[in-house]
Every structure is written in C-alpha cells, then in structure tokens.
C-alpha cells in the first residue's frame, strides 16, 4: 500500500482538551480516509514529569517542558494548543512565525483584538488554522442546518440557544484560569459555543442586547486566601439575526444540575427543531404538515443517514460520543491542510466569535443594544 505523507503533531497541554485532541488524532485516521499519516511527535507541558507521563500514556515519541522547543522543531508540522486561554496568543504567534499550522482551543484569545492579530498573522504566513468549536461537528447539527437551509421549517422566526453547566456553581471551588479578567468568564468560556452554534444554524447575528452577571464575587485562591472575581458567571443576550429572526443566547457556568446543556430551539413558520447536547444523538422535529391530532415533536435518532455518523457505526441509534466530535473536527482540519476543502473553523471565525462575546459584554455595561 503506498504510504501517505506524514503530518507530525506537537501538542501543548495534556489536560481535559489535550486528551480529547489525542482521541481525535487517534481515531480520525481509522474512521476517515485522511490524506496524511498522523504522527504524535512531541508533547509539551509545564513540568518534564507531567509531559513525560502524558507523552507515554498518549503515545507521543517525546516530551518537553518547554513549548518553544516544539515551535522550533523543523520536524513538527502542526502546533496544537490546549493550554489555558491567556497563553494561546503567544504560543500561536510563535508557531505561525515558524511556519507551522496551528490548531487551538477556544476561546482563541483573551481579547478579540488579539484573536484578530492571530488570524491576520496566519493568513499572512499562509498557514492553516483551526479553533476547537467541536459541538459544530455533530452530525445532527449538520442535519439541522440542512433542514433550515432547505426551507423545511419555513421562514425562521425565533431561536433560543444556551450553554449551561454547573462546574462553577460551588462558591468554594477555587480561582482558575477561566476567571482571568483577560478573556475569562462564562460567556467567553461556554457562551462562545452557544454563539457559534447559533450562527452555524441561522447565519450572522446583527445586533445584541447583553446582560452579564457576576454572582460569586470571590473564590479561594488556593493559598489560604481569596481572590476577587471580575468576570461573568452568566452572560445572556437578546439577539437579532441578519435573516430577521430574533432570539436569545445564554452562557452560564453556575446552572446547578446542568452538566452539558448546549441546547437550541429553532421556530419556523412550517416547523421547529429542539436539541440538547446531553442527548446529542437525538434531534426533535415538529412539522405543521403532520395531520391534526398527530402533531408533536418527533424524535429522530442519529444514524448513517446523518453524515458522517455512518463512518463510525453502521447501525442507527448506537450513538456517537464527545471524543468522536473531536475526530470529526480533526478530519476536517487535516483534509483542509491537504487542500481538500476549507478549514472548518479557522482563526478568522474564532476571532469573530470573540468579537461577539465582547460586543455582548459592552452592550451589558452600557445597558443598550449594540450592532455587531
Ligand atoms: P486543563 O487545565 O485540563 O489543561 C491545560 C493543560 O495545559 C494542562 O496540562 C497544563 O499543565 C498545561 N499548561 C499550562 N500552562 C502550560 C505551559 N506554559 N506550557 C505547556 N503546558 C501548559 O484545561 P482544559 O480544560 O483542557 O482547557 C484548555 C483549553 O481548552 C482552554 O482554552 C479551554 O477553554 C479549552 N476547552 C475547550 C473545550 C471544548 O469543548 N472545545 C472544553 C474544555 C476546555
């Protein structure tokens, strides 16, 4: 069998997302026909001990406690950043300057201006980029998007989008990088996913009216004291889409009991959709064309009719998992690196989402509507 060119990955960070990216790199070549053989080259983390343990567990050839060694290594093609938000810009700009392709977790950077600088640098250098908005990779979202675009729901009038979890609901849980005033907060951390999904389904948001709230004003600093919290625990916005639809978006990390409520509802003149990420292999569809007395939301189970589900499993209803979404994300990006299609969600798009976050925050401070 002719061998494919190698794509050598340098991964920064080995936490929650580092591991998810490794799952993506490991399964994408088995599920999709990729243009490259993926090689897990070097893993960087803060200490040599952490980097070596993760490199061994994940199957990387080598480990380092200096992420710059990855950037400087001519053997590495893609720098994959899963480190905390405040580090994304410095790492990505160094990688781009070294001519590497860059795959980076969301939010792309603490400030939209930083994210724009990163997108500009990547485009100027001609390198390809990807931001980790993995929920967009769900086959049921692709299906929902097609239904909306094809007119199945008629004229789209209303939208409700939400991303709620409760990982910050405990006021005694400590200050983390997610509370950093530069780019932290629930709206940036998870509301960004809700914004990306809303625009993926309905197109651009034109205007917002934000309401960002800090409910827990200080948290343990991990050294016996407390630290003031300046970022939002809840970020909400009324939104108007360019297509005329109106709606609301919420990002909330103190939503007690909610573990992964990345949900949406779309209301059209001929039908409606309802979706919850906690059951993300299911899409509910309501059609006004159904006979009277039989009308109601029908439950559609994900299956091979919903591309690319069938690549993972031939049987409907057997369900994909979170890490499979990362495999779909990796497959789209790796194909784009070989010129097979566009980058699914590049730095320019990531910068746009960061801009939406900041527009909502500014609108909340001014207590008035803002154009995007
Ligand atoms: P984490 O704390 O679990 O992991 C971060 C990793 O980065 C750790 O291994 C840490 O040691 C390492 N790190 C920190 N500083 C470093 C440095 N200077 N050099 C090398 N490594 C360093 O965090 P996480 O939950 O994986 O979040 C990481 C990123 O992923 C964040 O930007 C976050 O917003 C994003 N994220 C995305 C999703 C998603 O669904 N797409 C979900 C969770 C987190």
């Amino acid at each position: 069998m002719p061998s494919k060119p190698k794509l050598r990955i340098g991964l920064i960070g080995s936490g929650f997302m580092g591991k998810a990216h490794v799952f993506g790199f490991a399964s994408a070549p088995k599920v999709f026909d990729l243009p490259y053989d993926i090689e897990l080259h070097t893993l960087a983390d803060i200490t040599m001990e952490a980097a070596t343990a993760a490199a061994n567990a994940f199957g990387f050839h080598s480990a380092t406690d200096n992420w710059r060694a990855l950037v400087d290594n001519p053997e590495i093609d893609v720098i994959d950043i899963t480190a905390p938000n405040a580090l994304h810009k410095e790492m990505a700009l160094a990688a781009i300057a070294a001519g590497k392709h860059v795959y980076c977790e969301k939010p792309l950077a603490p400030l939209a201006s930083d994210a724009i600088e990163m997108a500009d640098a990547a485009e100027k250098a001609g390198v390809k980029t990807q931001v980790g908005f993995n929920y967009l990779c769900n086959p049921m979202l692709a299906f929902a998007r097609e239904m909306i675009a094809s007119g199945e729901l008629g004229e789209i009038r209303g939208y409700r989008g939400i991303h709620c979890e409760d990982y910050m609901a405990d006021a005694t849980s400590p200050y983390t990088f997610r509370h950093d005033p530069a780019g932290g907060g629930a709206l940036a951390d998870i509301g960004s996913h809700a914004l990306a999904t809303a625009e993926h389904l309905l197109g651009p948001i034109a205007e917002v009216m934000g309401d960002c709230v800090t409910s827990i004003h200080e948290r343990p600093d991990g050294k016996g004291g407390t630290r003031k919290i300046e970022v939002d625990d809840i970020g909400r916005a009324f939104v108007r889409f360019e297509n005329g639809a109106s709606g609301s978006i919420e990002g909330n990390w103190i939503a007690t009991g909610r573990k992964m409520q990345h949900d949406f509802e779309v209301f059209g003149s001929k039908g409606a959709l309802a979706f919850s990420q906690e059951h993300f292999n299911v899409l509910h569809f309501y059609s006004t064309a159904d006979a009277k007395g039989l009308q109601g939301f029908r439950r559609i189970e994900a299956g091979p009719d919903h591309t690319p589900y069938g690549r993972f499993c031939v049987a409907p209803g057997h369900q994909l998992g979170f890490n499979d979404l990362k495999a779909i994300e990796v497959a789209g990006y790796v194909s784009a690196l070989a010129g097979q299609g566009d980058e699914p969600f590049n730095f320019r798009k990531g910068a746009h989402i960061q801009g939406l976050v900041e527009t909502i925050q500014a609108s909340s401070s001014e207590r008035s509507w803002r154009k995007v």
Side-chain angles (χ1 to χ4, degrees):
M1 211 165 67
S3 67
K4 296 176 184 177
K6 280 194 174 160
L7 188 71
R8 295 155 304 182
I9 310 296
L11 175 67
I12 309 178
S14 60
F16 175 19
M17 274 305 107
K19 192 171 201 175
H21 283 223
V22 170
F23 272 117
F25 285 124
S27 57
K30 298 178 175 64
V31 175
F32 298 89
D33 182 16
L34 297 187
Y36 295 104
D37 278 334
I38 292 177
E39 183 181 312
L40 301 180
H41 194 288
T42 305
L43 185 148
D45 211 310
I46 306 178
T47 64
M48 204 57 208
E49 197 185 359
T52 305
N56 288 339
F58 296 168
F60 281 78
H61 299 319
S62 48
T64 174
D65 57 1
N66 175 11
W67 63 265
R68 288 187 185 278
L70 264 59
V71 167
D72 294 339
N73 189 335
E75 289 180 5
I76 292 177
D77 305 300
V78 176
I79 300 293
D80 183 9
I81 304 169
T82 67
N85 309 349
L87 301 170
H88 293 179
K89 180 184 174 186
E90 186 188 4
M91 291 171 170
L93 288 181
I96 292 165
K100 313 284 190 198
H101 301 295
V102 188
Y103 182 10
C104 183
E105 265 308 327
K106 47 54 62 183
L108 186 52
L111 299 174
S113 55
D114 295 327
I116 290 167
E117 198 181 324
M118 293 158 76
D120 287 347
E123 286 166 13
K124 198 166 164 215
V127 299
K128 297 196 174 174
T129 55
Q130 174 73 25
V131 190
F133 281 100
N134 28 263
Y135 302 110
L136 304 181
C137 299
N138 182 353
M140 295 317 262
L141 248 73
F143 188 59
R145 191 183 195 211
E146 275 168 32
M147 288 178 84
I148 293 165
S150 70
E152 185 81 42
L153 306 186
E155 178 200 343
I156 304 301
R157 297 164 173 163
Y159 184 85
R160 287 206 292 244
I162 188 166
H163 190 127
C164 290
E165 300 189 36
D166 68 357
Y167 55 93
M168 297 292 180
D170 179 355
T172 66
S173 71
Y175 186 99
T176 70
F177 73 81
R178 291 181 165 85
H179 299 101
D180 189 334
L187 188 64
D189 197 35
I190 51 178
S192 53
H193 283 301
L195 289 163
T197 293
E199 289 205 330
H200 186 67
L201 294 172
L202 263 63
I205 291 172
E207 271 185 278
V208 300
M209 169 71 210
D211 184 25
C212 299
V213 180
T214 307
S215 301
I216 297 170
H217 296 278
E218 56 178 33
R219 287 182 183 271
D221 63 3
K223 299 173 201 154
T226 56
R227 197 154 167 185
K228 191 173 172 211
I229 300 297
E230 295 168 63
V231 298
D232 57 90
D233 292 309
I234 305 169
R236 297 191 183 91
F238 289 125
V239 298
R240 296 290 177 99
F241 292 87
E242 279 182 12
N243 71 4
S246 67
S248 63
I249 304 284
E250 178 175 337
N252 182 342
W253 63 22
I254 54 166
T256 303
R258 289 297 179 190
K259 305 303 173 190
M260 180 32 78
Q261 194 187 20
H262 179 88
D263 295 6
F264 64 80
E265 292 180 323
V266 186
F267 304 104
S269 55
K270 296 200 292 188
L273 294 174
F275 169 86
S276 176
Q277 183 71 24
E278 287 179 356
H279 308 280
F280 79 78
N281 287 270
V282 171
L283 182 67
H284 287 97
F285 170 49
Y286 180 101
S287 173
T288 57
D290 287 348
K292 299 275 181 220
L294 285 177
Q295 287 183 347
F297 276 93
R298 77 183 72 150
R299 178 190 166 95
I300 305 169
E301 292 283 351
D305 292 328
H306 309 110
T307 310
Y309 176 104
R311 284 190 168 269
F312 290 83
C313 179
V314 293
H318 285 52
Q319 309 200 352
L320 303 189
F322 174 77
N323 291 318
D324 297 327
L325 303 185
K326 275 295 182 205
I328 297 170
E329 183 173 281
V330 163
Y333 181 45
V334 169
S335 300
L337 292 180
Q340 299 172 3
D342 295 331
E343 302 117 301
F345 207 93
N346 62 16
F347 278 14
R348 185 64 61 196
K349 291 180 182 172
H352 169 71
I353 296 297
Q354 197 61 24
L356 276 176
V357 166
E358 284 178 23
T359 308
I360 291 169
Q361 289 166 338
S363 152
S364 172
S365 301
E366 292 163 3
R367 309 200 73 70
S368 65
W369 282 87
R370 266 221 177 195
K371 286 200 191 309
V372 173

